[in-house]
Amino acid sequence: EKEIALEDYQQNYLGSIVDDPGWTGNTASCYAGNILESTNEKVLQRINYFRRLVGLNDNITLDNNNQIYMEAALICSANMSLSHYPPTNWLCWSQNAYNGCNSSNLGLGSHSSYSITGMIRDDGVNNYSVGHRRWILDSEKLKFSYGSTNNSMSLGCVGNHFDGNTEFPQFIAYPPNGYIPQELVFNRWSFSIPNENNPNFSADFSNAQINMSGPDGNVSINIVSRTDNGYGDNTIVWEPENILTSSNEDVEYSVTVSDIENISVDTYSYTVKIFKP
């Protein structure tokens, strides 16, 4: 299992690094341009890597209708700022750019596959609900679309035209049950129940409890989001203290999420195994 995780990391995570996305656009002339086909493939490779890591379908494809997301990436780069509702006085404003910003994950200061990792990390005071991570790990997804410049990215993910997956895991945890490379363990941990597992009701984490233990016993946690719904699947998010992510040895953390309401199974347990590649 660890060997499989290591090989997947080397081939598909490290293998999806993009040095230069090959952007042909220009902020000075407000030309959105395009990017290399090889960049598209690596963005897809990295999305599928993260989905496979958590037990989701990894057969994601790219929707070719990417013009609005190229224009969304352009407007963010031209103004060196992010907004899902860019005002009309922004440089390079267009209805396309607005529509793209309105229906995508946005990233600034990185491009293409690097931005995917940043969205999975999802740190910062505005991202306690890890909405960017949740859209990438949305159980219903079969497609994404995106646009990128050399320093910004717009990942089209909002809207049911990207949905269609019908095979759902019991839960989606990040970091996941099983082995994960230590560099991909971030400050915020999350646990989701696919909404489609319960077509008539969605998991309610309002009163959920989280217990974690590791090599030094019980782990102190701070729950930062539990009822902020509407981004992919319903999710609870917490920040554990003093997680070992620099050990030369494998480190295991046991997680139990209990008292989940509105659902047939109210308790889940799993083990995160952190290793140094």
Side-chain angles (χ1 to χ4, degrees), residues 178-218:
Y179 285 97
I180 179 171
Q182 57 189 207
E183 73 166 281
L184 300 180
V185 177
F186 305 123
N187 289 338
R188 287 184 185 146
W189 293 39
S190 59
F191 179 91
S192 315
I193 302 258
N195 293 344
E196 285 303 304
N197 280 349
N198 314 277
N200 301 319
F201 44 85
S202 298
D204 180 354
F205 292 103
S206 300
N207 299 302
Q209 304 291 317
I210 293 168
N211 288 292
M212 273 184 73
S213 61
D216 299 321
N218 286 340

Coordinates of all heavy atoms in Angstrom, one line a residue, residues 178-218:
G178 N -5.3 6.1 5.0 CA -4.2 5.5 4.3 C -3.0 6.4 4.2 O -2.9 7.3 5.0
Y179 N -2.1 6.1 3.3 CA -0.8 6.7 3.2 C -0.9 8.0 2.4 O -1.6 8.1 1.4 CB 0.2 5.8 2.5 CG 0.7 4.7 3.4 CD1 0.1 3.4 3.3 CD2 1.7 4.9 4.3 CE1 0.5 2.4 4.2 CE2 2.1 3.9 5.1 CZ 1.5 2.7 5.1 OH 2.0 1.7 5.9
I180 N -0.2 9.0 2.9 CA -0.1 10.3 2.2 C 1.3 10.9 2.4 O 1.8 10.8 3.5 CB -1.2 11.3 2.7 CG1 -1.0 12.7 2.0 CG2 -1.1 11.5 4.2 CD1 -2.2 13.7 2.2
P181 N 2.0 11.4 1.4 CA 3.3 12.1 1.6 C 3.2 13.3 2.5 O 2.2 14.0 2.5 CB 3.6 12.5 0.1 CG 2.8 11.7 -0.8 CD 1.5 11.5 0.0
Q182 N 4.2 13.4 3.3 CA 4.1 14.5 4.4 C 4.0 15.9 3.8 O 3.4 16.7 4.5 CB 5.4 14.3 5.3 CG 6.7 14.4 4.6 CD 7.9 14.1 5.6 OE1 9.0 14.5 5.4 NE2 7.6 13.3 6.6
E183 N 4.5 16.1 2.6 CA 4.4 17.5 2.1 C 3.0 17.9 1.7 O 2.7 19.0 1.5 CB 5.4 17.7 0.9 CG 4.9 17.0 -0.3 CD 5.7 17.5 -1.6 OE1 5.4 18.6 -2.1 OE2 6.6 16.8 -2.0
L184 N 2.1 16.9 1.6 CA 0.8 17.1 1.2 C -0.2 17.1 2.4 O -1.4 17.1 2.2 CB 0.3 16.1 0.2 CG 1.2 16.2 -1.1 CD1 0.7 15.1 -2.1 CD2 1.2 17.6 -1.8
V185 N 0.4 17.1 3.6 CA -0.5 17.2 4.8 C -0.4 18.7 5.2 O 0.6 19.2 5.6 CB 0.1 16.3 6.0 CG1 -0.8 16.5 7.2 CG2 0.1 14.9 5.5
F186 N -1.6 19.3 5.2 CA -1.7 20.8 5.4 C -2.3 21.0 6.8 O -2.8 20.1 7.4 CB -2.4 21.4 4.3 CG -1.9 21.1 2.9 CD1 -2.6 20.6 1.9 CD2 -0.5 21.4 2.6 CE1 -2.1 20.3 0.7 CE2 0.1 21.1 1.4 CZ -0.7 20.5 0.4
N187 N -2.4 22.3 7.1 CA -2.9 22.7 8.5 C -4.3 22.3 8.7 O -4.7 22.0 9.8 CB -2.7 24.2 8.7 CG -1.3 24.6 8.9 OD1 -0.4 23.8 9.2 ND2 -1.0 25.9 8.6
R188 N -5.1 22.4 7.6 CA -6.6 22.2 7.7 C -6.9 20.8 7.3 O -6.6 20.3 6.2 CB -7.4 23.2 6.9 CG -7.3 24.5 7.6 CD -8.1 25.6 6.9 NE -7.8 26.9 7.7 CZ -7.8 28.1 7.1 NH1 -8.0 28.2 5.9 NH2 -7.5 29.1 7.9
W189 N -7.6 20.1 8.2 CA -8.1 18.7 7.9 C -9.6 18.8 7.7 O -10.3 19.7 8.3 CB -7.8 17.8 9.1 CG -6.3 17.5 9.3 CD1 -5.3 18.4 9.2 CD2 -5.7 16.2 9.6 NE1 -4.1 17.7 9.4 CE2 -4.3 16.4 9.7 CE3 -6.2 15.0 9.9 CZ2 -3.4 15.4 10.0 CZ3 -5.3 13.9 10.2 CH2 -3.9 14.2 10.3
S190 N -10.1 18.0 6.8 CA -11.5 18.0 6.5 C -12.1 16.7 6.3 O -11.4 15.7 6.0 CB -11.8 18.9 5.3 OG -11.1 18.3 4.1
F191 N -13.4 16.6 6.6 CA -14.2 15.3 6.5 C -15.5 15.6 5.9 O -16.3 16.5 6.4 CB -14.3 14.7 7.8 CG -15.1 13.4 7.8 CD1 -14.4 12.2 7.7 CD2 -16.5 13.4 8.0 CE1 -15.1 11.0 7.6 CE2 -17.2 12.2 7.9 CZ -16.5 11.0 7.8
S192 N -15.8 15.0 4.7 CA -17.1 15.2 4.0 C -17.8 13.9 3.9 O -17.2 12.8 3.8 CB -16.8 15.8 2.6 OG -15.9 16.8 2.6
I193 N -19.1 14.0 3.8 CA -20.0 12.9 3.4 C -20.6 13.2 2.1 O -21.3 14.3 1.9 CB -21.1 12.6 4.4 CG1 -20.5 12.4 5.8 CG2 -22.0 11.5 4.0 CD1 -20.4 11.0 6.3
P194 N -20.4 12.4 1.0 CA -21.1 12.7 -0.3 C -22.6 13.0 -0.1 O -23.3 12.1 0.4 CB -20.8 11.5 -1.1 CG -19.5 11.0 -0.6 CD -19.6 11.2 0.9
N195 N -23.0 14.1 -0.6 CA -24.4 14.4 -0.5 C -25.3 13.4 -1.2 O -26.4 13.1 -0.7 CB -24.7 15.8 -1.1 CG -24.1 16.9 -0.3 OD1 -23.7 16.7 0.9 ND2 -24.0 18.1 -0.9
E196 N -24.8 12.8 -2.3 CA -25.6 11.9 -3.0 C -25.7 10.5 -2.4 O -26.5 9.7 -2.8 CB -25.0 11.7 -4.4 CG -25.3 12.9 -5.3 CD -26.7 13.2 -5.5 OE1 -27.5 12.3 -5.9 OE2 -27.2 14.3 -5.2
N197 N -24.9 10.3 -1.3 CA -25.2 9.1 -0.5 C -26.5 9.1 0.2 O -27.1 8.1 0.7 CB -24.1 8.8 0.5 CG -22.8 8.2 -0.1 OD1 -22.9 7.8 -1.2 ND2 -21.7 8.2 0.6
N198 N -27.0 10.3 0.3 CA -28.3 10.6 1.0 C -29.1 11.5 0.2 O -29.2 12.7 0.5 CB -28.0 11.2 2.4 CG -26.9 10.5 3.2 OD1 -27.1 9.5 3.8 ND2 -25.7 11.1 3.1
P199 N -29.7 11.0 -0.9 CA -30.4 11.9 -1.8 C -31.4 12.8 -1.2 O -31.7 13.9 -1.7 CB -31.0 11.0 -2.9 CG -30.6 9.6 -2.5 CD -29.8 9.6 -1.2
N200 N -32.0 12.3 -0.1 CA -33.1 13.1 0.5 C -32.7 14.0 1.7 O -33.4 14.9 2.2 CB -34.2 12.2 1.1 CG -34.8 11.3 -0.1 OD1 -35.0 11.8 -1.2 ND2 -35.0 10.1 0.2
F201 N -31.4 13.8 2.1 CA -30.9 14.7 3.2 C -29.4 14.6 3.2 O -28.8 13.7 2.7 CB -31.4 14.2 4.6 CG -31.4 12.7 4.8 CD1 -30.2 12.1 5.2 CD2 -32.5 11.9 4.5 CE1 -30.2 10.7 5.4 CE2 -32.5 10.5 4.7 CZ -31.3 9.9 5.2
S202 N -28.8 15.7 3.7 CA -27.4 15.8 3.7 C -26.8 15.8 5.1 O -27.5 16.2 6.0 CB -26.9 17.1 3.0 OG -27.3 17.1 1.7
A203 N -25.6 15.3 5.2 CA -25.0 15.1 6.6 C -25.0 16.5 7.3 O -24.6 17.5 6.7 CB -23.6 14.6 6.4
D204 N -25.3 16.5 8.6 CA -25.3 17.7 9.4 C -24.2 17.5 10.5 O -24.3 16.7 11.3 CB -26.7 17.8 10.0 CG -26.8 19.0 10.9 OD1 -25.8 19.7 11.1 OD2 -27.9 19.3 11.4
F205 N -23.2 18.4 10.4 CA -22.1 18.3 11.3 C -22.2 19.3 12.5 O -21.2 19.6 13.2 CB -20.8 18.6 10.5 CG -20.4 17.5 9.6 CD1 -20.6 17.7 8.2 CD2 -19.8 16.3 10.0 CE1 -20.2 16.7 7.3 CE2 -19.5 15.3 9.1 CZ -19.7 15.5 7.7
S206 N -23.4 19.9 12.7 CA -23.6 21.0 13.6 C -23.1 20.6 15.0 O -22.5 21.4 15.8 CB -25.1 21.3 13.8 OG -25.6 21.8 12.5
N207 N -23.3 19.3 15.4 CA -23.0 18.8 16.8 C -21.9 17.7 16.7 O -21.7 17.0 17.7 CB -24.2 18.4 17.5 CG -25.2 19.5 17.7 OD1 -24.9 20.5 18.3 ND2 -26.4 19.3 17.2
A208 N -21.3 17.6 15.6 CA -20.3 16.5 15.4 C -19.1 16.7 16.3 O -18.7 17.8 16.7 CB -19.8 16.4 14.0
Q209 N -18.5 15.6 16.8 CA -17.3 15.5 17.6 C -16.2 14.9 16.8 O -16.4 14.0 16.0 CB -17.6 14.7 18.8 CG -18.8 15.1 19.7 CD -18.6 16.4 20.4 OE1 -17.5 16.7 20.9 NE2 -19.6 17.2 20.4
I210 N -15.0 15.4 17.0 CA -13.8 14.9 16.4 C -12.8 14.5 17.5 O -12.4 15.3 18.3 CB -13.2 15.8 15.4 CG1 -14.1 16.1 14.2 CG2 -11.8 15.3 14.9 CD1 -13.7 17.2 13.4
N211 N -12.3 13.2 17.4 CA -11.3 12.8 18.3 C -10.1 12.3 17.5 O -10.3 11.6 16.5 CB -11.8 11.6 19.2 CG -12.7 12.2 20.3 OD1 -12.3 12.9 21.2 ND2 -14.0 11.8 20.1
M212 N -8.9 12.8 17.9 CA -7.7 12.4 17.2 C -6.6 11.9 18.1 O -6.5 12.5 19.2 CB -7.1 13.6 16.4 CG -7.7 13.8 15.0 SD -6.8 15.2 14.1 CE -5.2 14.4 13.8
S213 N -5.9 10.9 17.7 CA -4.8 10.5 18.6 C -3.6 10.1 17.6 O -3.8 9.7 16.5 CB -5.1 9.3 19.5 OG -5.5 8.2 18.7
G214 N -2.4 10.3 18.2 CA -1.2 10.0 17.4 C -0.1 9.4 18.3 O -0.4 8.9 19.4
P215 N 1.1 9.5 17.8 CA 2.2 8.9 18.6 C 2.4 9.4 20.0 O 2.9 8.8 20.9 CB 3.4 9.2 17.8 CG 3.0 10.1 16.7 CD 1.6 10.1 16.6
D216 N 1.9 10.7 20.2 CA 2.1 11.3 21.6 C 0.7 11.3 22.3 O 0.6 12.1 23.3 CB 2.6 12.7 21.4 CG 4.0 12.7 20.8 OD1 4.8 11.8 21.1 OD2 4.3 13.6 20.0
G217 N -0.2 10.5 21.9 CA -1.5 10.5 22.6 C -2.5 11.4 21.9 O -2.5 11.6 20.7
N218 N -3.5 11.9 22.7 CA -4.6 12.7 22.1 C -4.0 13.9 21.5 O -3.1 14.6 22.0 CB -5.6 13.0 23.2 CG -6.5 11.8 23.6 OD1 -6.5 10.8 22.8 ND2 -7.1 11.8 24.7

